[in-house]
Amino acid sequence: MLPLRDLLGPVHGTREFHRRQVLVALLIKADTQTRLADRTGLSGGTVSTIVSAFQRENIVRTDPGAPRGGGKRGATVRLRPAAGVAVGVYIGFNQAVAVARQADRDHHDVSEQRIDSGAGRGLEELLPAVQEMIEAVVADTGGRLADVVSLGVAVPGMLDPRTNQFATPVLPLWQEGDDPAAELQKWLHRATGVTVPVVQDNDANLAALAEHTYETQEHDETLVFVKASTGVGAGVVVGSRLIRGERGMAGEIGHLTVRPQGDVCFCGGRGCLNTVIGSNVLLREVRESRPSRSADYPRDLLSLITMARAGDAVCRRVLTDAGHTLGFVLAQVCNFLNPNLIVLGGQLAAAGESVLDPCLRSMRRHALPGAVPDGFRLKPSALDRLAEAQGALVLGLSRYATRG
């Protein structure tokens, strides 16, 4: 079994760093040499030389049956069994998710744990539950905490890419000084005696990264991932690059003004998209439509969706209107970015066509025709409820392929 911690040790010089880039790309996803070159930005010749060296060193194997005409570069390159566990954690507003896999395994082969409690509890109170989840998913892979080689964290909030800290102003439910990644890194060090790189980013950003990494075939396309649950956010990938912006605020479509005279948002703005289609707003609309003594209220967004599917007229109307409003905003996104693909995630995606159909109609009505052409795709997340945690896992491994 490959000693993964040794392979991920310090590197010296450009050649070793290029080897590291290819190794990390394979840890994230087995792939062809051609696509490894696309993903790493290295030349095809450089990747071919590195893969040949890895084969001689018994680090990788290639799947038989390369595509016709593809030759060696058309065969899928995979790591041989390696001793090391990669972990991803998503801390949401009302839930937390942890995933883990042996680092040489496919992304579908993950262990997962979920709790119905999130950042709303406060970081200090939530951290022990997150730590227990991490221990459980690592054990489920057959590993120990000491086998963890990487940990990424997805959080609902804006993070400054220069500091890896929450961007100012720090919005609820976080406080100045909250740093989930640093706290988990200290915990892992206390538990194992090993310092593991722990990194964090915005949840929508990491969901976009996971969708782009695992569910798209073309690495030159522009993908927008929209996460719609308690609030609305977006992650943007252009080519193979995640766009964060100068202060980490790229993709904050939940704070775009939709109704200038509307409700005040927790960001201090008025009429933000979050105040129109956030889950609490949709639930309030249903409650206000009911007779005062009615007990037939949806408990959460998922139960609202269930009631809509069962024929509840008010719930259906609320979802349809949410789709139209989201489509109006995404039309502006398409006019600005002209993406190939928009992926809808978060709890609102569970509504399926009830939201997607009015959303697409609204987009076609309000966007330039060329911004939403016939080949444009709007679809629900293929990674479903694990997108953020899977993206966090990718982020954790990617830390080894960055300088510094």
Side-chain angles (χ1 to χ4, degrees), residues 282 285-287 289-290 296 298 303-322 354:
L282 302 184
E285 289 182 348
V286 176
R287 286 197 302 271
S289 74
R290 302 294 202 219
D296 191 20
S303 61
L304 188 156
I305 291 168
T306 299
M307 291 171 67
R309 287 176 174 162
D312 186 288
V314 172
C315 292
R316 291 172 64 181
R317 167 55 65 183
V318 164
L319 291 178
T320 298
D321 288 351
S354 298

Side-chain angles (χ1 to χ4, degrees), residues 99-175:
V99 297
R101 63 174 168 86
Q102 291 289 337
D104 58 287
R105 301 287 180 86
D106 183 81
H107 75 280
H108 293 296
D109 191 6
V110 294
S111 301
E112 64 173 281
Q113 287 276 324
R114 179 181 303 269
I115 57 174
D116 293 326
S117 185
R121 287 176 59 178
L123 183 60
E124 185 176 354
E125 184 179 344
L126 179 65
L127 273 174
V130 172
Q131 292 162 2
E132 288 180 7
M133 283 199 304
I134 293 173
E135 291 178 322
V137 290
V138 170
D140 199 38
T141 69
R144 305 164 302 154
L145 277 183
D147 298 320
V148 174
V149 295
S150 66
L151 173 57
V153 185
V155 294
M158 303 171 293
L159 288 137
D160 190 325
R162 303 169 304 170
T163 64
N164 204 35
Q165 304 296 308
F166 286 101
T168 304
V170 178
L171 300 179
L173 302 162
W174 303 103
Q175 300 178 19

Side-chain angles (χ1 to χ4, degrees), residues 85-91 97-99 130 134 148-155 164 180-181 184 188 196-201 206 388-399:
V85 178
V87 179
V89 171
Y90 165 50
I91 299 175
V97 181
V99 297
V130 172
I134 293 173
V148 174
V149 295
S150 66
L151 173 57
V153 185
V155 294
N164 204 35
L184 290 171
L188 273 176
V196 175
V198 182
V199 286
Q200 61 194 5
D201 201 351
L206 294 183
E388 298 89 351
Q390 286 277 22
L393 187 150
V394 171
L395 179 73
L397 287 171
S398 297
R399 178 63 182 84

Side-chain angles (χ1 to χ4, degrees), residues 37 42-50 73:
L42 300 174
S43 71
T46 297
V47 170
S48 179
T49 298
I50 292 170
R73 295 190 181 185

